[in-house]
């Protein structure tokens, strides 16, 4: 799709929120516009739903570890869902969406997702090397290290091409999170050993 789009519209003009619609207009296929835009809305909605569904589970795990307030780990008595974490995540994401420019959010989201996928891919390659006998019900053809390392390189390349402000802010966020976790772990160890 990207190659066709660049063939229809010069790539410099595709830096818009709806490049597919722009390409269809340039090709004269305006009758497809409502369908493409509806599909884009459905696609974006499903991504948002998955993110809003998974984020509360991360918050629950962090709350159980003591990194976030314990109230976020509470489950609903009837449904067994993390209702406080879900509500907090929805309110936080909604507030960000209302207050922040979409470009600002997109830069940081893209950088964060690329970094997360790159780290997971690299970790997969490392685990394949360190734990070669681990059960792996899903296999891909070729050397076990090839796909994870290729995925890591692609994510790194895309990160290098991403907006530097987003990458910088995600880096700052990771450093702050790492320092906070280090302080928390040190406090936990001191509490367990009875040191002051």
């Amino acid at each position: 799709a990207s190659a066709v789009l660049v063939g229809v519209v010069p790539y410099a003009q595709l830096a818009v929120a709806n490049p597919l619609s722009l390409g269809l207009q340039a090709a004269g296929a305006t009758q497809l516009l409502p369908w493409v835009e509806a599909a884009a809305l459905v696609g974006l909605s499903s991504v948002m739903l998955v993110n809003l569904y998974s984020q509360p589970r991360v918050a629950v795990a962090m709350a159980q570890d003591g990194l976030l307030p314990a109230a976020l780990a509470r489950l609903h008595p009837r449904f067994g869902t993390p209702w406080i974490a879900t509500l907090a995540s929805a309110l936080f994401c909604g507030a960000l969406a209302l207050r922040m420019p979409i470009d600002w959010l997109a830069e940081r989201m893209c950088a964060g997702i690329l970094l997360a996928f790159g780290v997971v891919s690299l970790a997969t390659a490392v685990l394949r090397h360190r734990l070669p006998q681990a059960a792996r019900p899903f296999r891909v053809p070729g050397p076990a290290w090839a796909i994870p390392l290729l995925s890591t390189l692609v994510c790194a390349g895309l990160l290098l091409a991403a907006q530097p402000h987003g990458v910088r802010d995600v880096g700052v966020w990771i450093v702050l999170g790492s320092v906070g976790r280090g302080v928390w772990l040190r406090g936990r160890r001191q509490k367990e050993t009875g040191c002051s």
Side-chain angles (χ1 to χ4, degrees), residues 92-189:
F92 179 74
C93 292
L96 276 180
L98 283 172
R99 302 294 302 163
M100 299 299 191
I102 189 72
D103 293 344
W104 188 92
L105 287 171
E107 287 172 9
R108 281 132 192 93
M109 286 296 296
C110 288
I113 289 169
L114 283 170
L115 186 65
F117 283 176
V119 168
V120 168
S121 299
L122 188 60
T124 302
V126 169
L127 285 174
R128 287 193 173 276
H129 176 72
R130 286 194 178 171
L131 302 171
Q133 303 305 321
R136 293 185 174 89
F138 177 77
R139 297 203 175 269
V140 294
W145 52 267
I147 299 294
L149 284 183
L150 181 62
S151 174
T152 303
L153 289 174
V154 168
C155 288
L158 289 170
L159 260 177
L160 288 174
Q163 293 292 329
H165 301 298
V167 176
R168 180 202 62 208
D169 289 352
V170 168
V172 168
W173 187 253
I174 287 171
V175 168
L176 289 174
S178 299
V179 169
R181 179 162 170 76
V183 169
W184 173 79
L185 283 173
R186 191 172 69 189
R188 186 173 179 177
R189 278 193 216 107

Side-chain angles (χ1 to χ4, degrees), residues 56-70:
R57 273 87 185 149
V58 173
V60 166
M62 292 175 72
Q64 288 171 343
D65 284 346
L67 292 168
L68 288 175

